[in-house]
Amino acid sequence: MILGLLKMRAPVAPTTAEVIHAGLVAASRRPELYDALDAPDTLPGRFEVLVLHVALYLRRLKGRGPRAEAVAQEVVDVLFKALDAQLREIGIGDMSVPKKMKTMASSFYDGAQQYDAALTAGDLEAMSAALARIVYRAGPDERSKALTAYVFEAAAALDLQDIDRLVARGPVFPAVGAAS
């Protein structure tokens, strides 16, 4: 019995959703987002930049069939499972985690809805205002305008990417200022 606990177990391969989530996290942590676009390099700032990238990915998958919808839901599930684990890792108590998760979920869905509405309308001002409020926690300024340009570039780049590739491996985001 005890010897069975000591045996090395084969590593479990990550699921497709976990691989896509890892790619979204990597895309949201690129240094140029924090250097060139001056996104706040804080826990709340990183969370909001991650939300932005996940929202762009989910927007591209919306209405693209059952497989895309299933992968989108799996990615959201992995995202919130990871956020829960990170809250616990940084020392948030078990009693406080559900309240924090509820706040984060509300922020996620609110941001995703605002980004989608601005992109659908092609409204640069609405996007800049949303990014200023959500990411920068300030009024619209040059930073939010620069991030707005990146968001529209990223949405356009995602629109060109094959759905089968997006659900199998995840998105490829453009470099900051790629279309500038």
Side-chain angles (χ1 to χ4, degrees), residues 79-98:
L79 169 70
F80 282 101
K81 183 178 175 183
L83 291 171
D84 181 281
Q86 290 168 358
L87 287 175
R88 293 172 193 283
E89 188 175 303
I90 63 172
I92 304 296
D94 287 343
M95 299 297 286
S96 298
V97 169

PDB file of all heavy atoms in Angstrom, residues 79-98:
ATOM      1  N   LEU A  79      -9.956  28.564 -17.012  1.00  0.00           N
ATOM      2  CA  LEU A  79      -9.593  29.898 -16.529  1.00  0.00           C
ATOM      3  C   LEU A  79     -10.015  30.077 -15.079  1.00  0.00           C
ATOM      4  O   LEU A  79      -9.195  30.470 -14.233  1.00  0.00           O
ATOM      5  CB  LEU A  79     -10.240  30.973 -17.405  1.00  0.00           C
ATOM      6  CG  LEU A  79     -10.161  32.410 -16.873  1.00  0.00           C
ATOM      7  CD1 LEU A  79      -8.739  32.928 -16.931  1.00  0.00           C
ATOM      8  CD2 LEU A  79     -11.109  33.315 -17.646  1.00  0.00           C
ATOM      9  N   PHE A  80     -11.269  29.790 -14.774  1.00  0.00           N
ATOM     10  CA  PHE A  80     -11.749  30.026 -13.415  1.00  0.00           C
ATOM     11  C   PHE A  80     -11.178  29.024 -12.416  1.00  0.00           C
ATOM     12  O   PHE A  80     -10.962  29.369 -11.248  1.00  0.00           O
ATOM     13  CB  PHE A  80     -13.272  30.098 -13.382  1.00  0.00           C
ATOM     14  CG  PHE A  80     -13.757  31.435 -13.884  1.00  0.00           C
ATOM     15  CD1 PHE A  80     -14.249  31.569 -15.169  1.00  0.00           C
ATOM     16  CD2 PHE A  80     -13.656  32.564 -13.095  1.00  0.00           C
ATOM     17  CE1 PHE A  80     -14.656  32.800 -15.644  1.00  0.00           C
ATOM     18  CE2 PHE A  80     -14.056  33.809 -13.558  1.00  0.00           C
ATOM     19  CZ  PHE A  80     -14.557  33.933 -14.839  1.00  0.00           C
ATOM     20  N   LYS A  81     -10.888  27.822 -12.859  1.00  0.00           N
ATOM     21  CA  LYS A  81     -10.218  26.854 -11.982  1.00  0.00           C
ATOM     22  C   LYS A  81      -8.813  27.356 -11.636  1.00  0.00           C
ATOM     23  O   LYS A  81      -8.385  27.297 -10.484  1.00  0.00           O
ATOM     24  CB  LYS A  81     -10.150  25.483 -12.666  1.00  0.00           C
ATOM     25  CG  LYS A  81      -9.539  24.397 -11.826  1.00  0.00           C
ATOM     26  CD  LYS A  81      -9.553  23.066 -12.559  1.00  0.00           C
ATOM     27  CE  LYS A  81      -8.837  22.004 -11.757  1.00  0.00           C
ATOM     28  NZ  LYS A  81      -8.768  20.728 -12.476  1.00  0.00           N
ATOM     29  N   ALA A  82      -8.118  27.901 -12.635  1.00  0.00           N
ATOM     30  CA  ALA A  82      -6.773  28.439 -12.408  1.00  0.00           C
ATOM     31  C   ALA A  82      -6.823  29.670 -11.509  1.00  0.00           C
ATOM     32  O   ALA A  82      -5.966  29.835 -10.626  1.00  0.00           O
ATOM     33  CB  ALA A  82      -6.105  28.776 -13.740  1.00  0.00           C
ATOM     34  N   LEU A  83      -7.806  30.531 -11.726  1.00  0.00           N
ATOM     35  CA  LEU A  83      -7.932  31.727 -10.878  1.00  0.00           C
ATOM     36  C   LEU A  83      -8.211  31.337  -9.428  1.00  0.00           C
ATOM     37  O   LEU A  83      -7.642  31.920  -8.499  1.00  0.00           O
ATOM     38  CB  LEU A  83      -9.035  32.644 -11.412  1.00  0.00           C
ATOM     39  CG  LEU A  83      -8.739  33.339 -12.736  1.00  0.00           C
ATOM     40  CD1 LEU A  83      -9.989  34.043 -13.252  1.00  0.00           C
ATOM     41  CD2 LEU A  83      -7.575  34.310 -12.600  1.00  0.00           C
ATOM     42  N   ASP A  84      -9.061  30.348  -9.232  1.00  0.00           N
ATOM     43  CA  ASP A  84      -9.352  29.853  -7.884  1.00  0.00           C
ATOM     44  C   ASP A  84      -8.068  29.358  -7.223  1.00  0.00           C
ATOM     45  O   ASP A  84      -7.765  29.712  -6.078  1.00  0.00           O
ATOM     46  CB  ASP A  84     -10.401  28.739  -7.965  1.00  0.00           C
ATOM     47  CG  ASP A  84     -10.785  28.190  -6.606  1.00  0.00           C
ATOM     48  OD1 ASP A  84     -10.014  27.369  -6.054  1.00  0.00           O
ATOM     49  OD2 ASP A  84     -11.853  28.565  -6.096  1.00  0.00           O
ATOM     50  N   ALA A  85      -7.306  28.558  -7.956  1.00  0.00           N
ATOM     51  CA  ALA A  85      -6.053  28.022  -7.412  1.00  0.00           C
ATOM     52  C   ALA A  85      -5.065  29.145  -7.094  1.00  0.00           C
ATOM     53  O   ALA A  85      -4.375  29.104  -6.067  1.00  0.00           O
ATOM     54  CB  ALA A  85      -5.434  27.036  -8.399  1.00  0.00           C
ATOM     55  N   GLN A  86      -4.996  30.164  -7.959  1.00  0.00           N
ATOM     56  CA  GLN A  86      -4.077  31.270  -7.718  1.00  0.00           C
ATOM     57  C   GLN A  86      -4.474  32.085  -6.496  1.00  0.00           C
ATOM     58  O   GLN A  86      -3.611  32.534  -5.737  1.00  0.00           O
ATOM     59  CB  GLN A  86      -3.980  32.152  -8.958  1.00  0.00           C
ATOM     60  CG  GLN A  86      -3.254  31.467 -10.090  1.00  0.00           C
ATOM     61  CD  GLN A  86      -3.388  32.197 -11.411  1.00  0.00           C
ATOM     62  OE1 GLN A  86      -4.058  33.208 -11.530  1.00  0.00           O
ATOM     63  NE2 GLN A  86      -2.762  31.644 -12.442  1.00  0.00           N
ATOM     64  N   LEU A  87      -5.765  32.281  -6.284  1.00  0.00           N
ATOM     65  CA  LEU A  87      -6.218  32.992  -5.090  1.00  0.00           C
ATOM     66  C   LEU A  87      -5.788  32.242  -3.833  1.00  0.00           C
ATOM     67  O   LEU A  87      -5.296  32.847  -2.869  1.00  0.00           O
ATOM     68  CB  LEU A  87      -7.739  33.167  -5.104  1.00  0.00           C
ATOM     69  CG  LEU A  87      -8.298  34.176  -6.085  1.00  0.00           C
ATOM     70  CD1 LEU A  87      -9.827  34.139  -6.068  1.00  0.00           C
ATOM     71  CD2 LEU A  87      -7.802  35.581  -5.774  1.00  0.00           C
ATOM     72  N   ARG A  88      -5.959  30.947  -3.861  1.00  0.00           N
ATOM     73  CA  ARG A  88      -5.570  30.135  -2.701  1.00  0.00           C
ATOM     74  C   ARG A  88      -4.048  30.165  -2.504  1.00  0.00           C
ATOM     75  O   ARG A  88      -3.559  30.220  -1.380  1.00  0.00           O
ATOM     76  CB  ARG A  88      -6.078  28.710  -2.857  1.00  0.00           C
ATOM     77  CG  ARG A  88      -7.594  28.630  -2.810  1.00  0.00           C
ATOM     78  CD  ARG A  88      -8.135  27.248  -3.147  1.00  0.00           C
ATOM     79  NE  ARG A  88      -9.549  27.267  -3.393  1.00  0.00           N
ATOM     80  CZ  ARG A  88     -10.499  27.336  -2.465  1.00  0.00           C
ATOM     81  NH1 ARG A  88     -10.157  27.390  -1.203  1.00  0.00           N
ATOM     82  NH2 ARG A  88     -11.769  27.350  -2.803  1.00  0.00           N
ATOM     83  N   GLU A  89      -3.313  30.160  -3.623  1.00  0.00           N
ATOM     84  CA  GLU A  89      -1.851  30.176  -3.562  1.00  0.00           C
ATOM     85  C   GLU A  89      -1.311  31.462  -2.952  1.00  0.00           C
ATOM     86  O   GLU A  89      -0.308  31.448  -2.251  1.00  0.00           O
ATOM     87  CB  GLU A  89      -1.280  29.976  -4.964  1.00  0.00           C
ATOM     88  CG  GLU A  89       0.220  29.778  -4.992  1.00  0.00           C
ATOM     89  CD  GLU A  89       0.723  29.467  -6.390  1.00  0.00           C
ATOM     90  OE1 GLU A  89       0.243  28.495  -6.992  1.00  0.00           O
ATOM     91  OE2 GLU A  89       1.583  30.235  -6.854  1.00  0.00           O
ATOM     92  N   ILE A  90      -1.980  32.587  -3.221  1.00  0.00           N
ATOM     93  CA  ILE A  90      -1.493  33.849  -2.671  1.00  0.00           C
ATOM     94  C   ILE A  90      -2.008  34.098  -1.255  1.00  0.00           C
ATOM     95  O   ILE A  90      -1.761  35.152  -0.675  1.00  0.00           O
ATOM     96  CB  ILE A  90      -1.804  35.064  -3.581  1.00  0.00           C
ATOM     97  CG1 ILE A  90      -3.308  35.286  -3.742  1.00  0.00           C
ATOM     98  CG2 ILE A  90      -1.109  34.921  -4.910  1.00  0.00           C
ATOM     99  CD1 ILE A  90      -3.663  36.577  -4.464  1.00  0.00           C
ATOM    100  N   GLY A  91      -2.743  33.117  -0.702  1.00  0.00           N
ATOM    101  CA  GLY A  91      -3.110  33.193   0.697  1.00  0.00           C
ATOM    102  C   GLY A  91      -4.509  33.668   0.999  1.00  0.00           C
ATOM    103  O   GLY A  91      -4.829  33.958   2.145  1.00  0.00           O
ATOM    104  N   ILE A  92      -5.368  33.750  -0.001  1.00  0.00           N
ATOM    105  CA  ILE A  92      -6.763  34.102   0.253  1.00  0.00           C
ATOM    106  C   ILE A  92      -7.405  32.916   0.963  1.00  0.00           C
ATOM    107  O   ILE A  92      -7.289  31.779   0.516  1.00  0.00           O
ATOM    108  CB  ILE A  92      -7.526  34.422  -1.056  1.00  0.00           C
ATOM    109  CG1 ILE A  92      -6.834  35.532  -1.847  1.00  0.00           C
ATOM    110  CG2 ILE A  92      -8.983  34.757  -0.769  1.00  0.00           C
ATOM    111  CD1 ILE A  92      -6.781  36.869  -1.178  1.00  0.00           C
ATOM    112  N   GLY A  93      -8.064  33.167   2.059  1.00  0.00           N
ATOM    113  CA  GLY A  93      -8.673  32.101   2.851  1.00  0.00           C
ATOM    114  C   GLY A  93      -9.840  31.438   2.149  1.00  0.00           C
ATOM    115  O   GLY A  93     -10.518  32.041   1.311  1.00  0.00           O
ATOM    116  N   ASP A  94     -10.079  30.169   2.521  1.00  0.00           N
ATOM    117  CA  ASP A  94     -11.151  29.387   1.913  1.00  0.00           C
ATOM    118  C   ASP A  94     -12.508  30.073   2.004  1.00  0.00           C
ATOM    119  O   ASP A  94     -13.330  29.946   1.105  1.00  0.00           O
ATOM    120  CB  ASP A  94     -11.243  28.005   2.571  1.00  0.00           C
ATOM    121  CG  ASP A  94     -10.110  27.092   2.174  1.00  0.00           C
ATOM    122  OD1 ASP A  94      -9.434  27.381   1.173  1.00  0.00           O
ATOM    123  OD2 ASP A  94      -9.892  26.083   2.879  1.00  0.00           O
ATOM    124  N   MET A  95     -12.758  30.799   3.057  1.00  0.00           N
ATOM    125  CA  MET A  95     -14.045  31.470   3.232  1.00  0.00           C
ATOM    126  C   MET A  95     -14.189  32.670   2.301  1.00  0.00           C
ATOM    127  O   MET A  95     -15.298  33.047   1.937  1.00  0.00           O
ATOM    128  CB  MET A  95     -14.223  31.916   4.693  1.00  0.00           C
ATOM    129  CG  MET A  95     -14.217  30.767   5.685  1.00  0.00           C
ATOM    130  SD  MET A  95     -15.597  29.639   5.424  1.00  0.00           S
ATOM    131  CE  MET A  95     -16.921  30.607   6.060  1.00  0.00           C
ATOM    132  N   SER A  96     -13.086  33.279   1.895  1.00  0.00           N
ATOM    133  CA  SER A  96     -13.119  34.479   1.051  1.00  0.00           C
ATOM    134  C   SER A  96     -13.057  34.165  -0.441  1.00  0.00           C
ATOM    135  O   SER A  96     -13.427  35.010  -1.259  1.00  0.00           O
ATOM    136  CB  SER A  96     -11.949  35.403   1.404  1.00  0.00           C
ATOM    137  OG  SER A  96     -12.051  35.824   2.743  1.00  0.00           O
ATOM    138  N   VAL A  97     -12.571  32.986  -0.803  1.00  0.00           N
ATOM    139  CA  VAL A  97     -12.387  32.652  -2.219  1.00  0.00           C
ATOM    140  C   VAL A  97     -13.686  32.748  -3.017  1.00  0.00           C
ATOM    141  O   VAL A  97     -13.700  33.367  -4.083  1.00  0.00           O
ATOM    142  CB  VAL A  97     -11.710  31.275  -2.392  1.00  0.00           C
ATOM    143  CG1 VAL A  97     -11.762  30.803  -3.837  1.00  0.00           C
ATOM    144  CG2 VAL A  97     -10.257  31.358  -1.924  1.00  0.00           C
ATOM    145  N   PRO A  98     -14.810  32.184  -2.541  1.00  0.00           N
ATOM    146  CA  PRO A  98     -16.037  32.285  -3.350  1.00  0.00           C
ATOM    147  C   PRO A  98     -16.458  33.731  -3.630  1.00  0.00           C
ATOM    148  O   PRO A  98     -16.887  34.045  -4.745  1.00  0.00           O
ATOM    149  CB  PRO A  98     -17.086  31.553  -2.506  1.00  0.00           C
ATOM    150  CG  PRO A  98     -16.297  30.596  -1.677  1.00  0.00           C
ATOM    151  CD  PRO A  98     -15.010  31.318  -1.375  1.00  0.00           C
TER     152      PRO A  98
END
